[in-house]
């Protein structure tokens, strides 16, 4: 009443007090029990600095006075009384610290709080009051269905979508990495296969099949014969020529001739189509095909009978290419001279002299290379007097100058001399 008259409560507190007064006595008793278990700010007391210092000084003076009083009184007492009093004091202090205070805490904080929590739930107090009563079950169910369930579902769906996206992203990254690895591996295999084809399979077997779709020729070409020439684009001056054959009507000219070409340092084959009338020859058209696409195709799948190649023959005029004058069909195959049969009846004229020498050395054992070097050092040059060699020491034969000139009449260049030496090495092997 005094608090209400002196306006010591705010509006909310006054409203709360009116509601409390309108309730039953049992409800108010339960509320009092509930508030006894709750920590309130009203239980705390705050003092100023001067008040706190005065209170500490008073307590210290009281302790000092009690100590002086006890010492003064105990002087006049007997020793048995003092010992009895000290024993009683120690027992009381220890019992309070180790038994009574823990028991009080267990009662107030565990038993009393549990009893109060159980009782006050029926009156709407506590965090579990709504769950303990059936008054608000319909409201709780509706709130759970409309808010909590939807929230849980929405959260679960979003987590699932996020996880699926993360897994899909990692799978795509792994697939891209695997594809890149496969591409790099395939690329390295192709490069290695092409390098093997270029280093080992440097003998090209060229079969000239036929020449077809030749454009109409003037009347002066009725008695002419036709043949095909082909050579490497670089590093090989050898030119291969087919036999001259006449053209009968519109039928293709069938050659069916095969040749062997050294393509170790070449990249393409230049093809020319010629006509011959008497002693004069005329170029009708030319074309070429590169080795790289064929090597790349063979790196993936090696054909058993070679690669079919079709070369379009173009006639150059005034620096520009005119329409095709015909087609030449080839069947080409890359061969390894060390493992495949190259040349006709063990002939090696298709090899360049420098490659023939390397090939001869590669077929020899390590012990015979010294003999080859000795033999090549003793071979005479043109017009030089040869030195005789011993045939019974197991070394390769050494030719004299007369034998050299007898076998190679008209040798005039250093390249021809190297070719002569390499042929003799092959014969000795």
């Amino acid at each position: 009443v005094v608090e209400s008259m002196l306006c010591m409560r705010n509006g909310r507190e006054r409203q709360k007090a009116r509601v409390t007064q309108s309730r039953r006595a049992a409800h108010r008793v339960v509320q009092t029990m509930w508030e006894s278990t709750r920590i309130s700010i009203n239980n705390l007391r705050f003092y100023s600095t001067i008040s706190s210092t005065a209170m500490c000084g008073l307590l210290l003076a009281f302790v000092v006075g009690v100590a002086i009083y006890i010492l003064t009184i105990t002087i006049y007492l007997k020793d048995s009384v003092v010992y009895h009093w000290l024993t009683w004091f120690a027992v009381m202090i220890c019992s309070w610290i180790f038994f009574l205070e823990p028991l009080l805490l267990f009662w107030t904080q565990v038993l009393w709080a549990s009893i109060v929590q159980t009782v006050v739930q029926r009156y709407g107090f506590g965090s579990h009051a709504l769950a303990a009563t059936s008054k608000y079950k319909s409201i709780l169910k509706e709130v759970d269905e409309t808010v909590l369930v939807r929230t849980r579902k929405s959260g679960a769906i979003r987590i699932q979508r996020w996880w699926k996206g993360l897994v899909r992203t990692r799978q795509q990254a792994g697939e891209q990495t695997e594809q890149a690895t496969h591409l790099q591996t395939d690329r390295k295999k192709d490069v290695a296969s092409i390098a093997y084809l270029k280093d080992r399979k440097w003998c090209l077997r060229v079969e000239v099949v036929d020449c077809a779709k030749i454009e109409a020729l003037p009347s002066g070409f009725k008695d002419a014969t036709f043949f095909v020439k082909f050579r490497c684009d670089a590093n090989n001056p050898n030119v291969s020529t087919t036999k001259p054959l006449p053209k009968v009507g519109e039928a293709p000219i069938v050659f069916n001739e095969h040749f062997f070409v050294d393509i170790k340092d070449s990249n393409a084959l230049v093809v020319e189509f010629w006509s011959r009338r008497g002693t004069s020859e005329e170029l009708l058209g030319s074309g070429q095909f590169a080795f790289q696409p064929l090597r790349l195709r063979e790196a993936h799948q090696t054909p058993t009978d070679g690669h079919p190649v079709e070369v379009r023959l173009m006639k150059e005029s005034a620096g520009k290419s005119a329409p095709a004058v015909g087609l030449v069909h080839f069947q080409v195959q890359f061969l390894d001279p060390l493992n495949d049969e190259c040349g006709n009846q063990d002939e090696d004229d298709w090899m360049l002299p420098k490659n023939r020498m390397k090939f001869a050395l590669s077929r020899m054992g390590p012990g015979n290379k010294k003999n080859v070097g000795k033999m090549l050092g003793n071979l005479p040059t043109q017009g030089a007097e040869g030195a005789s060699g011993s045939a019974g020491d197991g070394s390769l034969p050494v030719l004299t100058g007369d034998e050299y000139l007898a076998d190679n009449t008209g040798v005039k260049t250093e390249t021809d001399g190297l070719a002569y030496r390499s042929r003799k090495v092959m014969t000795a092997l």
Side-chain angles (χ1 to χ4, degrees):
V1 176
V2 176
E3 289 180 351
S4 301
M5 292 177 61
L6 297 178
C7 297
M8 298 178 66
R9 296 177 181 174
N10 55 23
R12 180 181 179 280
E13 291 176 344
R14 290 194 295 271
Q15 180 67 24
K16 182 179 179 182
R18 285 194 296 269
V19 172
T20 304
Q21 292 297 327
S22 63
R23 291 177 175 174
R24 295 177 299 171
H27 193 282
R28 283 181 283 176
V29 172
V30 171
Q31 183 175 359
T32 304
M33 295 170 59
W34 166 253
E35 291 178 352
S36 65
T37 61
R38 310 298 297 172
I39 299 176
S40 176
I41 192 66
N42 296 326
N43 299 330
L44 301 178
R45 296 291 184 269
F46 297 98
Y47 303 96
S48 63
T49 305
I50 299 175
S51 300
S52 300
T53 305
M55 293 176 64
C56 291
L58 183 61
L59 292 174
L60 182 62
F62 178 77
V63 171
V64 172
V66 170
I68 294 173
Y69 174 76
I70 290 174
L71 293 176
T72 304
I73 295 300
T74 54
I75 292 175
Y76 300 100
L77 298 177
K78 296 181 179 181
D79 293 341
S80 60
V81 176
V82 173
Y83 291 146
H84 180 76
W85 180 78
L86 289 175
T87 304
W88 175 83
F89 183 77
V91 170
M92 293 300 294
I93 292 297
C94 292
S95 62
W96 174 256
I97 293 174
F98 296 105
F99 179 73
L100 295 178
E101 188 172 2
L103 185 63
L104 178 62
L105 292 175
F106 179 75
W107 165 254
T108 57
Q109 300 298 327
V110 179
L111 296 180
W112 174 251
S114 300
I115 294 171
V116 171
Q117 288 284 349
T118 304
V119 174
V120 299
Q121 286 181 6
R122 298 180 179 273
Y123 293 90
F125 296 97
S127 59
H128 304 286
L130 293 178
T133 179
S134 60
K135 183 177 180 180
Y136 302 105
K137 280 188 176 181
S138 59
I139 298 176
L140 292 176
K141 185 177 181 181
E142 184 178 357
V143 171
D144 184 71
E145 291 179 354
T146 56
V147 179
L148 299 181
V149 174
R150 292 183 180 179
T151 304
R152 285 196 296 267
K153 288 183 178 180
S154 178
I157 291 173
R158 291 184 179 182
I159 291 174
Q160 290 176 358
R161 290 177 179 175
W162 169 79
W163 181 251
K164 287 182 179 179
L166 181 62
V167 172
R168 189 176 302 171
T169 302
R170 290 185 177 180
Q171 288 178 351
Q172 292 177 354
E175 291 176 357
Q176 291 178 357
T177 304
E178 186 176 0
Q179 291 177 358
T181 304
H182 286 324
L183 289 176
Q184 293 178 358
T185 304
D186 295 340
R187 175 60 181 169
K188 289 181 180 180
K189 288 182 179 178
D190 294 342
V191 172
S193 300
I194 293 174
Y196 170 78
L197 291 175
K198 187 174 181 179
D199 295 338
R200 297 293 300 274
K201 294 189 176 184
W202 47 277
C203 175
L204 183 67
R205 184 183 185 276
V206 182
E207 181 179 356
V208 185
V209 181
D210 58 25
C211 182
K213 297 183 179 180
I214 304 173
E215 68 175 359
L217 299 174
S219 58
F221 287 86
K222 290 183 180 181
D223 299 331
T225 56
F226 303 90
F227 58 94
V228 175
K229 286 184 179 181
F230 55 90
R231 55 180 172 79
C232 293
D233 59 342
N235 302 320
N236 189 348
N238 297 335
V239 179
S240 301
T241 307
T242 62
K243 296 179 181 179
L245 295 176
K247 183 177 181 300
V248 180
E250 299 296 332
I253 304 175
V254 180
F255 296 99
N256 287 333
E257 297 184 44
H258 65 273
F259 304 87
F260 295 90
V261 183
D262 186 343
I263 60 170
K264 193 174 186 65
D265 300 322
S266 304
N267 298 316
L269 198 68
V270 180
V271 181
E272 297 176 347
F273 184 60
W274 291 75
S275 66
R276 178 181 296 172
R277 291 180 293 176
T279 58
S280 63
E281 296 180 354
E282 181 180 355
L283 176 62
L284 301 180
S286 63
Q288 68 177 4
F289 65 90
F291 303 142
Q292 186 72 8
L294 301 179
R295 285 171 174 162
L296 185 61
R297 189 190 310 169
E298 187 163 339
H300 294 282
Q301 183 178 3
T302 303
T304 57
D305 55 350
H307 304 276
V309 178
E310 182 180 83
V311 180
R312 300 182 63 184
L313 300 174
M314 311 296 292
K315 186 174 182 180
E316 297 182 358
S317 60
K320 298 182 180 179
S321 297
V325 298
L327 301 174
V328 180
H329 297 95
F330 293 91
Q331 193 77 14
V332 298
Q333 185 177 8
F334 296 97
L335 300 178
D336 184 358
L338 291 175
N339 300 322
D340 301 327
E341 184 178 354
C342 301
N344 299 320
Q345 298 179 355
D346 296 333
E347 294 181 359
D348 56 356
D349 294 339
W350 58 274
M351 293 186 189
L352 293 176
K354 59 178 182 179
N355 296 333
R356 185 183 296 113
M357 183 62 63
K358 294 178 182 179
F359 176 70
L361 294 176
S362 64
R363 294 183 61 181
M364 297 182 59
N368 293 330
K369 291 185 179 181
K370 295 181 179 180
N371 298 332
V372 174
K374 185 186 298 184
M375 182 192 72
L376 293 178
N378 292 331
L379 283 178
T381 57
Q382 182 180 0
E385 296 295 335
S388 61
S390 175
D393 57 354
S395 62
L396 295 175
V398 180
L399 303 180
T400 62
D402 296 337
E403 293 175 343
Y404 176 77
L405 294 176
D407 290 347
N408 292 272
T409 304
V411 174
K412 297 180 180 181
T413 62
E414 183 180 356
T415 302
D416 294 335
L418 182 58
Y420 169 78
R421 295 185 182 187
S422 59
R423 282 197 295 271
K424 287 303 180 182
V425 171
M426 293 294 294
T427 304
L429 294 176

